[in-house]
């Protein structure tokens, strides 16, 4: 079929669950491979010229004093960086010199050596529409009640703690944050950590080890992958959101047990994400929980992108599906996105949290969260919960949902290939060809729109894409302006690959009527 649709309507779901992944057109796939082939051939030619010192830019060569050392990096990684990534490096690491809200200012930079080094000019590109930040609820701002609360706490507590939680770094603010997080999620207890990445990579090894089995979705974030590897547990990967494959692995694990000895596994941990940040897909959590109960496994849910961004109350994918939070054994999330702050949390039963307080390396060795960061989370979370006495939080949640449905629908109407779930604020739009990765990012910036383009190795080699992140802070006027420019650049670069262009229809209010069958 030219387009794969996942349309689930069962007793486990309160409403239809729709995701779509249009197959890459054959001609586009062939041209993409040809493009990478040409780049590779020219890369080897340039390396040959560099070896004989004919190539004008010599920065890519290894330094003479390093010749006798064992190479620090893999050869292909070096080759890819020198000859493919450097061509389009100007699309990343752009310096932002303002609040990264719905609009932002970028410092202009130029390169005189083909992107190996950059020089900053005195000019600033102002009022760039920001379609790349994970600012889902618009709390990344420097004015308003949250900012005022943070300023007050900064004067009272300072900006740093300079100690771990177990020593002299446990503040009353940390206790308030953890109690509030547990209440927000509807669980017994929660624990906050200073870094989202470390929340996964340092806590998974504390929960499982040798003799345990981890069943991991193939598209899980690298922090989950690293945590699984550091744990020493056996890892088996199941196909993305494929419940038949997951059940097959669970059944085999129960029947055969551990390799060689065939003893039962000490623990079986299913590791999934709420929203997958490169695919824009949402985990099929009701089915995961049903399988977990049937085979007596545990579920570790990473809600980095879904907490605050999904559900009628902004409480993540569990709220989105109307499930009982107690059915998820380990709830993990970050404060870096919807809350406009930093850090992460683990939540669940009180016994789990008390265990992690003494066994997690992220607790024992890491410095406590900065007080202003803690206050930003508390203030934004109270706003989402309505405990600030206003309806601002609920309005932002509703606005994000409406913006998401509207933006996705308009992109598909224009003829672009869009991946993922129709309710996901992460919206990948396919570019495919390597030359179009850099071209799209540059052309959009020329028109004062900042986007995130993504290619190999973050995606499969022929599935390069641009990833739009929608925010509640985006007005309809901003979205329409951005969509107009995207359509213009799409025509310029011939990016409208979809063979299933939707017919335009008026925007409807967000209710169950937006969940409709998508015809293949």
């Amino acid at each position: 079929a030219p387009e794969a649709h996942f349309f689930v309507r069962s007793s486990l779901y309160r409403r239809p669950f729709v995701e779509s992944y249009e197959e890459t057109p054959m001609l586009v796939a062939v041209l993409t491979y040809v493009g990478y082939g040409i780049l590779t051939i020219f890369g080897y030619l340039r390396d040959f010229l560099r070896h004989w010192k004919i190539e004008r830019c010599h920065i890519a060569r290894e330094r003479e004093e390093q010749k006798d050392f064992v190479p620090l990096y893999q050869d292909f990684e070096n080759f890819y960086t020198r000859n493919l990534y450097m061509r389009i490096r100007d699309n990343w690491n752009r310096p932002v010199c303002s609040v990264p809200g719905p609009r932002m200012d970028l410092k202009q930079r130029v390169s005189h050596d083909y992107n190996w080094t950059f020089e900053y000019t005195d000019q600033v590109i102002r009022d760039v529409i920001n379609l790349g930040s994970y600012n889902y609820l618009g709390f990344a701002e420097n004015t308003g009640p949250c900012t005022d609360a943070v300023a007050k706490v900064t004067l009272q507590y300072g900006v740093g703690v300079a100690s771990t939680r177990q020593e002299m770094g446990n503040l009353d603010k940390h206790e308030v944050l953890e109690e509030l997080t547990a209440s927000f999620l509807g669980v017994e207890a929660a624990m906050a950590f200073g870094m989202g990445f470390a929340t996964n990579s340092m806590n998974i090894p504390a929960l499982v080890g040798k003799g345990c089995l981890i069943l991991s979705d193939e598209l899980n974030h690298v922090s989950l992958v690293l945590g699984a590897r550091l744990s020493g547990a056996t890892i088996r990967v199941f196909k993305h959101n494929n419940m038949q494959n997951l059940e097959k692995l669970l059944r085999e694990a129960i029947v055969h047990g551990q390799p060689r000895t065939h003893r039962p596994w000490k623990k079986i941990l299913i590791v999934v994400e709420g929203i997958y940040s490169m695919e824009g897909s949402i985990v099929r959590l009701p089915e995961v929980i049903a399988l977990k109960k049937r085979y007596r496994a545990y579920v570790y849910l990473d809600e980095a992108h879904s907490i605050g961004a999904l559900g009628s109350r902004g409480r993540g994918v569990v709220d989105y599906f109307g499930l009982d939070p107690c059915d998820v054994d380990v709830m993990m999330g970050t404060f870096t996105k919807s809350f406009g702050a930093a850090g992460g949390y683990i939540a669940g039963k009180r016994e789990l949290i008390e265990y992690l307080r003494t066994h997690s390396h992220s607790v024992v060795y890491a410095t406590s969260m900065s007080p202003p960061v803690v206050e930003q989370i508390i203030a934004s979370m109270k706003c989402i919960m309505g405990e600030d006495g206003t309806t601002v939080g609920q309005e932002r949640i509703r606005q994000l949902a409406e913006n998401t449905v509207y933006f996705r629908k308009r992109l598909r109407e224009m003829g672009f290939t869009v991946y993922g779930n129709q309710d996901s604020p992460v919206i990948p739009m396919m570019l495919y060809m390597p030359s179009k990765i850099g071209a799209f990012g540059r052309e959009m910036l020329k028109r004062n729109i900042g986007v995130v383009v993504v290619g190999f190795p973050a995606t499969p080699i022929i599935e390069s894409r641009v990833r739009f992140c929608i925010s509640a802070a985006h007005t309809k006027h901003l979205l329409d302006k951005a969509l107009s420019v995207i359509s213009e650049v799409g025509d310029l670069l011939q990016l409208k690959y979809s063979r299933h262009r939707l017919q335009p229809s008026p925007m409807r209010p967000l209710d169950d009527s937006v969940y409709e069958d998508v015809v293949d």
Side-chain angles (χ1 to χ4, degrees):
E3 188 168 7
H5 288 287
F6 299 94
F7 184 86
V8 181
R9 195 192 290 270
S10 78
S11 59
L12 295 175
Y13 294 84
R14 295 186 176 185
R15 56 189 182 187
F17 180 77
V18 183
E19 291 189 353
S20 62
Y21 300 91
E22 189 169 339
E23 188 180 6
T24 309
M26 181 61 72
L27 178 61
V28 175
V30 170
L31 290 175
T32 302
Y33 278 119
V34 169
Y36 276 107
I38 291 171
L39 285 171
T40 302
I41 291 169
F42 273 91
Y44 281 115
L45 176 61
R46 294 187 71 184
D47 277 356
F48 175 79
L49 296 176
R50 288 188 186 108
H51 178 74
W52 293 103
K53 300 185 179 180
I54 301 171
E55 167 71 54
R56 209 166 96 190
C57 179
H58 303 299
I59 302 175
R61 289 190 296 109
E62 203 172 50
R63 296 177 188 173
E64 291 297 326
E65 58 266 29
Q66 293 176 324
K67 290 290 185 186
D68 296 329
F69 287 85
V70 176
L72 186 60
Y73 307 106
Q74 294 180 14
D75 187 56
F76 178 74
E77 289 178 2
N78 267 338
F79 175 85
Y80 181 86
T81 301
R82 283 193 307 269
N83 299 300
L84 281 79
Y85 170 71
M86 281 298 167
R87 290 172 175 265
I88 54 176
R89 186 183 172 208
D90 57 299
N91 284 280
W92 293 282
N93 306 313
R94 289 175 177 147
V96 180
C97 49
S98 71
V99 174
R103 291 182 183 270
M104 60 184 175
D105 298 337
L106 299 180
K107 196 162 180 62
Q108 194 176 68
R109 58 183 182 173
V110 294
S111 177
H112 303 293
D113 53 10
Y114 311 104
N115 288 344
W116 283 94
T117 60
F118 292 99
E119 291 180 9
Y120 298 114
T121 68
D122 294 332
Q123 295 183 330
V124 173
I125 308 170
R126 299 197 180 278
D127 290 330
V128 177
I129 296 176
N130 181 5
L131 292 179
S133 293
Y134 302 135
N135 184 23
Y136 298 128
L137 293 180
F139 283 113
E141 53 195 357
N142 59 0
T143 58
C146 293
T147 307
D148 295 340
V150 170
K152 185 177 178 181
V153 165
T154 304
L155 292 174
Q156 182 181 353
Y157 288 84
V159 296
V161 181
S163 179
T164 67
R165 291 285 296 275
Q166 291 190 345
E167 293 170 326
M168 299 295 291
N170 191 37
L171 304 178
D172 56 345
K173 284 290 178 185
H174 293 130
E175 303 283 347
V176 171
L177 170 61
E178 290 174 349
E179 289 176 10
L180 186 65
T181 302
S183 173
F184 178 62
L185 297 171
V187 294
E188 291 179 8
M191 186 166 192
F193 302 87
M195 181 183 180
F197 190 99
T199 305
N200 278 331
S201 59
M202 293 291 100
N203 283 298
I204 292 177
L207 296 172
V208 292
K210 192 175 180 181
C212 299
L213 174 65
I214 293 176
L215 299 178
S216 177
D217 190 291
E218 65 179 343
L219 296 182
N220 276 344
H221 190 261
V222 67
S223 59
L224 293 167
V225 174
L226 178 60
R229 289 176 177 172
L230 290 173
S231 71
T234 301
I235 305 167
R236 290 177 186 161
V237 178
F238 62 92
K239 294 176 184 176
H240 175 55
N241 249 355
N242 189 316
M243 297 301 107
Q244 290 76 22
N245 189 218
L246 174 58
E247 183 168 19
K248 179 174 177 286
L249 292 178
L250 280 166
R251 191 181 294 117
E252 289 175 356
I254 298 297
V255 171
H256 300 296
Q258 298 183 42
R260 294 189 299 276
T261 63
H262 299 295
R263 291 175 180 170
W265 294 100
K266 293 178 181 176
K267 297 175 194 169
I268 299 176
L269 184 66
I270 303 168
V271 180
V272 291
E273 292 186 47
I275 293 178
Y276 290 83
S277 60
M278 285 296 169
E279 302 299 312
S281 58
I282 297 175
V283 64
R284 294 164 67 170
L285 191 60
E287 294 171 78
V288 172
I289 289 175
L291 289 174
K292 162 230 162 173
K293 290 179 177 179
R294 185 181 303 168
Y295 294 97
R296 298 188 178 182
Y298 296 98
V299 171
Y300 185 109
L301 174 63
D302 178 344
E303 291 217 78
H305 286 269
S306 55
I307 192 67
L310 282 180
S312 59
R313 300 174 297 168
R315 301 187 183 189
V317 71
V318 176
D319 182 29
Y320 175 77
F321 288 114
L323 303 172
D324 185 350
C326 296
D327 287 336
V328 179
D329 302 284
V330 186
M331 300 182 76
M332 177 270 170
T334 61
F335 301 121
T336 57
K337 300 171 177 69
S338 294
F339 301 94
Y345 65 82
I346 295 281
K349 293 189 180 300
R350 194 168 300 280
E351 294 87 347
L352 166 73
I353 303 307
E354 292 305 320
Y355 174 83
L356 288 176
R357 288 192 193 281
T358 55
H359 289 79
S360 171
H361 286 80
S362 214
V363 177
V364 179
Y365 298 107
T367 303
S368 301
M369 290 179 73
S370 169
V373 174
V374 173
E375 184 59 28
Q376 166 68 22
I377 302 165
I378 292 172
S380 56
M381 192 176 289
K382 283 184 175 180
C383 182
I384 295 169
M385 297 171 73
E387 291 189 7
D388 62 342
T390 72
T391 59
V392 171
Q394 278 298 309
E395 288 167 7
R396 293 191 185 202
I397 292 166
R398 180 187 54 77
Q399 188 64 53
L400 173 64
E402 288 186 0
N403 286 353
T404 296
V405 173
Y406 177 71
F407 198 83
R408 276 186 172 274
K409 194 171 184 65
R410 283 291 309 277
L411 285 176
R412 297 198 73 198
E413 287 172 358
M414 291 176 192
F416 293 107
T417 301
V418 180
Y419 274 11
N421 192 289
Q422 61 185 5
D423 292 323
S424 167
V426 178
I427 305 176
M429 190 186 90
M430 304 310 292
L431 302 176
Y432 298 116
M433 299 181 194
S435 58
K436 296 185 180 182
I437 302 172
F440 187 83
R442 292 170 189 141
E443 291 296 330
M444 291 295 286
L445 188 59
K446 282 180 188 176
R447 294 160 175 81
N448 254 40
I449 296 181
V451 298
V452 174
V453 286
V454 190
F456 180 82
T459 67
I461 199 160
I462 68 161
E463 292 187 12
S464 302
R465 63 198 68 177
V466 54
R467 184 183 60 180
F468 302 115
C469 292
I470 302 304
S471 169
H474 288 134
T475 62
K476 189 172 183 296
H477 172 72
L478 279 183
L479 293 180
D480 284 337
K481 185 176 179 180
L483 286 162
S484 175
V485 172
I486 292 166
S487 182
E488 178 188 336
V489 175
D491 289 330
L492 177 68
L493 301 179
Q494 298 182 358
L495 295 173
K496 296 180 179 179
Y497 301 115
S498 179
R499 289 173 280 182
H500 299 275
R501 187 189 294 248
L502 298 182
Q503 293 301 314
S505 60
M507 181 61 188
R508 294 171 296 187
L510 186 72
D511 55 23
D512 288 343
S513 64
V514 300
Y515 297 89
E516 57 186 16
D517 292 73
V518 181
V519 180
D520 186 346

